[in-house]
Amino acid sequence: MLLRLTHGGAVWLMVAVTLMWATAGVVTRHLAQAHSFEITFWRSFFTMLALLVILPLWRGRAVFSQIRSGGRELWISGVCWTVMFTAFMVALTLASTASVLVTMSLGPLLTALAARLFIGHRLPVRTWVAIVVAGLGIAWMYGTQLMQGGAAGGSLLGTLVALCVPLAGATNWTVVQHARAKGHDIDLVPAVLIGAALSALLTLPFALPFQANAHDLGLLAFLGVFQLAIPCVLAVLCAQVLKAPEVALLALLEVIFGIALAWIGAGEEPAASVLTGGALVIGALVFNELLALRGRRATVADDALPTAH
């Protein structure tokens, strides 16, 4: 049985999770022969194998019955994970690591916007401001790539593919919240397994004929197990202890770690337009989440005050 994390332990574990997530770019740059869809297939395949071992040990064999009886929402969530797994790796083969990670970091703001449009959640002014600022950052990054044309065409396509990741993530969260509002609690861990299995199945025809050598397979197995399967499980544990704004803030470390690792480990220097646009996006996210965390703490403090009888 896993021990319950302390708050401090959960923070440091989440930092380790973001570091593991951030290895995708630098590892992908060291592949020798595997091509885009083959990369996606093998990472998803190894993720599926790892989860088939981890989940029964963690949750017991009942986790498989949860998949069979999970209902429509669980499978919709699984499809969203499929899109995220697939689009992320394809995007990395088309664009720089920095462009992909900055685009993916839009997730919390797109999720907030989806909650407003489809569930009716009211958004505070700070979140609307963050959405506008982050939108300007992305527009600057995309616009610069569009104006450059030529060699930047692949980079623009890659960042557009990367945009599918936060869009699928926002859809996933909205479906889960809507289901919970109706009394149907969705377990996201089996949904991750469904996503990995579907991603491997759907990309298999496009991955053939396989070109990966033993060196590539070793790196792709690392991505499947240590960059995706294990950190996804650990992130679920952290989310049981940390508040949503804390998780969102710590998750932004993936962008910083990922750009730094690709720069140091693969010589992939980020373009100035990506750094400028990324600074606007990350700044907007940090501003929004810090105010959210501050507001929640103030609410807790007010609730703790003694009341007159």
Side-chain angles (χ1 to χ4, degrees), residues 29-260:
R29 300 299 178 248
H30 288 285
L31 295 172
Q33 297 179 8
H35 54 90
S36 61
F37 282 106
E38 184 179 1
I39 294 170
T40 305
F41 165 77
W42 284 117
R43 187 184 78 139
S44 297
F45 177 75
F46 284 121
T47 299
M48 178 186 68
L49 291 184
L51 290 175
L52 286 173
V53 174
I54 294 172
L55 295 188
L57 293 176
W58 178 27
R59 297 284 187 85
R61 299 187 64 84
V63 71
F64 298 118
S65 63
Q66 292 176 1
I67 294 177
R68 291 194 298 270
S69 61
R72 181 180 61 182
E73 289 89 355
L74 177 66
W75 285 90
I76 293 175
S77 177
V79 170
C80 290
W81 284 108
T82 300
V83 173
M84 288 187 277
F85 292 162
T86 305
F88 174 61
M89 292 309 295
V90 172
L92 276 179
T93 65
L94 295 171
S96 70
T97 302
S99 296
V100 173
L101 291 176
V102 168
T103 302
M104 284 176 51
S105 69
L106 286 172
L109 297 182
L110 289 178
T111 299
L113 196 56
R116 177 67 184 91
L117 293 175
F118 300 108
I119 304 181
H121 286 191
R122 296 184 61 184
L123 298 183
V125 174
R126 59 174 170 78
T127 301
W128 285 114
V129 172
I131 289 172
V132 171
V133 174
L136 291 174
I138 290 295
W140 174 261
M141 190 174 76
Y142 278 54
T144 303
Q145 293 173 357
L146 190 61
M147 287 187 293
Q148 288 175 347
S155 180
L156 178 60
L157 177 60
T159 47
L160 288 173
V161 172
L163 189 59
C164 295
V165 178
L167 286 173
T171 303
N172 192 9
W173 186 91
T174 304
V175 169
V176 170
Q177 289 300 309
H178 183 64
R180 287 175 178 171
K182 295 190 300 182
H184 302 147
D185 194 17
I186 297 179
D187 189 344
L188 289 180
V189 177
V192 173
L193 174 58
I194 291 172
L198 289 178
S199 177
L201 181 64
L202 293 175
T203 56
L204 176 58
F206 303 100
L208 298 173
F210 293 138
Q211 298 178 13
N213 55 22
H215 169 267
D216 288 351
L217 288 177
L219 291 179
L220 291 166
F222 171 86
L223 288 179
V225 177
F226 296 102
Q227 187 269 329
L228 193 54
I230 291 177
C232 277
V233 171
L234 295 178
V236 171
L237 293 176
C238 292
Q240 294 173 354
V241 178
L242 301 176
K243 298 178 178 65
E246 291 177 306
V247 174
L249 274 174
L250 291 168
L252 291 176
L253 290 173
E254 180 190 359
V255 181
I256 299 170
F257 289 154
I259 294 174

